[in-house]
Amino acid sequence: MRTAVFIDGYNVFYGLLAGTPYKWLNLSLLLSHICRVQDPAAIIETVNYYTSSVIPHLATRGIESRHAQDTYIRALKTTGINIFTGRHRLEHARAPRFISKKLPASRLDKVDIWELEEKETDVNIAISMYRLFAKQQTLPIEERIAQLVLVSADTDMTPALKAIREDFPDIRIGIILPHRQGNVRGVPGSLQNHSHWIRRTITNEELDACQFPVRVATRKNLRLNPNIGKHQTTPFDAPRGKWHSSRCSPWWPISYRNVMRERLVINHSVQRPASG
């Protein structure tokens, strides 16, 4: 089943990765695993990642946060993921003063605030999903994408999913909620109503097994390191500079991953940020 994946980057970061040691996440590998568990016939053809650049003076670690984001995006690109960047809008606004949860907000008591809002991401995802299926109608059936997988818990995606279900009824829709196991949250009803299947949580074991190696190739120049490290990874498809998992390779057993971790020393590479 030819599959296209669309990822809300900020939704994934704050819902799944923030405050964990798993930020160096190989999304291609994780998505391949989840799709294969859901349907062994699934073949991921394209992965699209939508985000907005960090504003350094508003980030906890300042410019380091921006550098960490840029480094991670470069790592994602090595797996063939398509990156789409929106923007942040930061403007002066007024909002009701917060006093207590027991007291309702009042329009008569407002304070000045900085209003930060991510722009374009939701619209870009919605339009990209719909256009994909509209444009492929002229293709032979065997070349068409048959399954859409959305990685997000944002109910703003509901209208787009509803339109796709109505206009392209043969398309199978899956939702992966970026929620860690143990951090139980409800399933948004509107997303559930317009999907065929939902993955509700992702385990820490899955996140740990799907980490990039410490160093990731940014070009095709690779050479083997005779010193085998202790970390976990999966093999590179060296000629294409992609992980085999981008084509839904099997879920590598732990024993194999332990042997393969860090056998690649990269001439042109990015390294995991020190803070993880």
Side-chain angles (χ1 to χ4, degrees), residues 206-267:
E206 288 173 320
L207 292 173
D208 183 61
C210 293
Q211 296 296 294
F212 280 115
V214 173
R215 298 186 70 85
V216 177
T218 56
R219 298 180 185 177
K220 299 178 183 179
N221 298 352
L222 307 176
R223 60 187 177 88
L224 292 178
N225 181 357
N227 300 313
I228 300 175
K230 298 180 180 180
H231 303 293
Q232 303 167 353
T233 190
T234 55
F236 266 102
D237 177 354
R240 294 171 55 202
K242 296 182 179 180
W243 296 87
H244 289 296
S245 62
S246 66
R247 291 291 175 180
C248 283
S249 60
W251 185 236
W252 301 102
I254 290 177
S255 58
Y256 184 81
R257 287 187 279 105
N258 285 341
V259 172
M260 290 302 299
R261 182 73 182 236
E262 287 191 355
R263 291 191 67 179
L264 296 175
V265 172
I266 314 304
N267 292 331

Side-chain angles (χ1 to χ4, degrees), residues 109-258:
D109 184 15
K110 290 186 175 183
V111 296
D112 294 305
I113 64 168
W114 283 109
E115 184 178 56
L116 178 64
E117 182 181 7
E118 187 184 13
K119 303 291 290 185
E120 300 177 9
T121 294
D122 292 347
V123 174
N124 282 342
I125 295 175
I127 292 176
S128 297
M129 291 191 300
Y130 192 90
R131 288 190 68 194
L132 171 67
F133 297 110
K135 293 171 68 175
Q136 75 171 9
Q137 296 307 300
T138 59
L139 297 177
I141 293 179
E142 63 273 13
E143 296 181 13
R144 297 181 187 179
I145 297 295
Q147 178 174 237
L148 159 69
V149 175
L150 174 64
V151 186
S152 178
D154 190 347
T155 56
D156 286 347
M157 293 293 102
T158 300
L161 297 179
K162 182 175 183 292
I164 292 170
R165 284 291 297 271
E166 292 176 351
D167 296 351
F168 311 104
D170 294 335
I171 299 301
R172 183 172 176 82
I173 297 177
I175 304 291
I176 300 175
L177 300 177
H179 298 162
R180 288 194 313 279
Q181 188 176 42
N183 188 10
V184 180
R185 304 182 189 181
V187 178
S190 58
L191 295 181
Q192 189 169 25
N193 293 339
H194 300 292
S195 62
H196 295 90
W197 58 268
I198 290 185
R199 174 69 179 265
R200 290 169 169 77
T201 59
I202 298 172
T203 67
N204 287 340
E205 289 75 17
E206 288 173 320
L207 292 173
D208 183 61
C210 293
Q211 296 296 294
F212 280 115
V214 173
R215 298 186 70 85
V216 177
T218 56
R219 298 180 185 177
K220 299 178 183 179
N221 298 352
L222 307 176
R223 60 187 177 88
L224 292 178
N225 181 357
N227 300 313
I228 300 175
K230 298 180 180 180
H231 303 293
Q232 303 167 353
T233 190
T234 55
F236 266 102
D237 177 354
R240 294 171 55 202
K242 296 182 179 180
W243 296 87
H244 289 296
S245 62
S246 66
R247 291 291 175 180
C248 283
S249 60
W251 185 236
W252 301 102
I254 290 177
S255 58
Y256 184 81
R257 287 187 279 105
N258 285 341

